[in-house]
Amino acid sequence: MKKTTGTPAQEEFAAVCGQAWDALIPARAGYLANISPHYDEVFHDVARRTEHAESLGKTDIAALVVWKRLSAQTPWVTELMSLSDTQVRAVTKRAVTAVRDTARTRSEAARTGRGIIAELPGFRTGDALASAVLTAAAPQRMAVYDRRVQHALDALGLPLAPTPGRYGRYLQLLDDLLQHGGAHADGWTPRDIDTALYWTGRLTPAPSR
């Protein structure tokens, strides 16, 4: 997604980013005005526990499943619950360390953390739950991804292919948006952008992946 400064491709991408911000700013306002201020309490509670524990257990993951409104009636849930909490925390601790590592760029940290958490059942494919876990681990660095976010990106002309490494590329794309946002991006975090994208994609969600 990075382009050489001054090239026509870079100028075109900057223009797309500018148009995207024209949609993101009112979308973020719409999200804040219409979503209950209590809705994200579960997410914030998990994030606070993760801050101190430096890992997530099965209870934390279960809470994020409900927060993301995902189905718990799937084979991976049984497989995950069959692991000890110690096993789960051993994996999530490494993922938490990776996404908090400021020596890595945001996208590198995201890619590394995503690769680690893929060791657990339920995290091997798809990025919705994995991104929720990683964002709870580093709320100021990471961002949540789901099908509505993908639909919004497509609508805004910001391509994100569903090939391996998507979550890392997603964080790079959000970094690019922040870089090209100018004054619009002041005070925004990747998490702010993901909520704006979610709200943008809410009316006509993309098909399940």
Side-chain angles (χ1 to χ4, degrees), residues 67-68 70 114 126-133 135 142-154 160-163 166-171 173-174 190-191 194-195 197-198 206-207 209:
W67 179 70
K68 283 299 296 172
L70 301 173
R114 181 68 187 90
D127 290 316
L129 182 56
S131 68
V133 167
T135 304
M142 299 291 108
V144 178
Y145 170 92
D146 59 24
R147 62 179 184 168
R148 288 188 176 187
V149 166
Q150 180 68 55
H151 185 58
L153 291 173
D154 292 341
L160 182 66
T163 50
R166 175 175 58 188
Y167 189 61
R169 295 194 305 276
Y170 172 54
L171 267 294
L173 181 55
L174 299 191
R191 174 73 181 130
D194 91 51
T195 57
L197 290 169
Y198 169 86
R209 292 183 179 273

Side-chain angles (χ1 to χ4, degrees), residues 10 22 28 35 39 81 95 106 109 123 145 149-150 152 155 167-168 175 178 186 190 197 200:
Q10 173 69 12
D22 289 340
R28 173 69 175 158
I35 298 296
Y39 187 86
M81 295 302 287
R106 203 190 311 267
F123 296 92
Y145 170 92
V149 166
Q150 180 68 55
Y167 189 61
D175 258 351
L178 290 170
D186 288 349
L197 290 169
T200 299

Side-chain angles (χ1 to χ4, degrees), residues 112-135:
T112 302
R114 181 68 187 90
I116 293 169
I117 207 163
E119 297 173 17
L120 291 175
F123 296 92
R124 292 163 188 154
T125 60
D127 290 316
L129 182 56
S131 68
V133 167
L134 297 176
T135 304

Side-chain angles (χ1 to χ4, degrees), residues 77-94:
V77 174
T78 300
E79 191 179 351
L80 179 68
M81 295 302 287
S82 297
L83 299 176
S84 71
D85 206 55
T86 300
Q87 289 175 285
V88 173
R89 286 189 179 277
V91 175
T92 60
K93 182 177 179 62
R94 290 162 46 223

Side-chain angles (χ1 to χ4, degrees), residues 14 18 25 62 66 71 76 92 97 105 111 118 129-131 135 144 151 162 165 172 178 180 195 200 203:
I25 292 170
V66 174
S71 174
W76 72 261
T92 60
T97 299
T105 66
R111 183 170 60 251
L129 182 56
S131 68
T135 304
V144 178
H151 185 58
Q172 181 61 61
L178 290 170
H180 289 85
T195 57
T200 299
L203 297 178

Side-chain angles (χ1 to χ4, degrees), residues 18 21-22 25 27 41 45-46 56 69 75 83 88 108 112 145 168:
W21 277 102
D22 289 340
I25 292 170
E41 285 177 344
D45 187 45
V46 173
L56 292 87
R69 292 176 290 178
L83 299 176
V88 173
E108 289 170 345
T112 302
Y145 170 92

Side-chain angles (χ1 to χ4, degrees), residues 48-62:
R48 281 192 295 270
R49 288 201 300 271
T50 306
E51 175 68 24
H52 296 292
E54 299 185 341
S55 66
L56 292 87
K58 291 190 290 185
T59 301
D60 299 310
I61 293 171

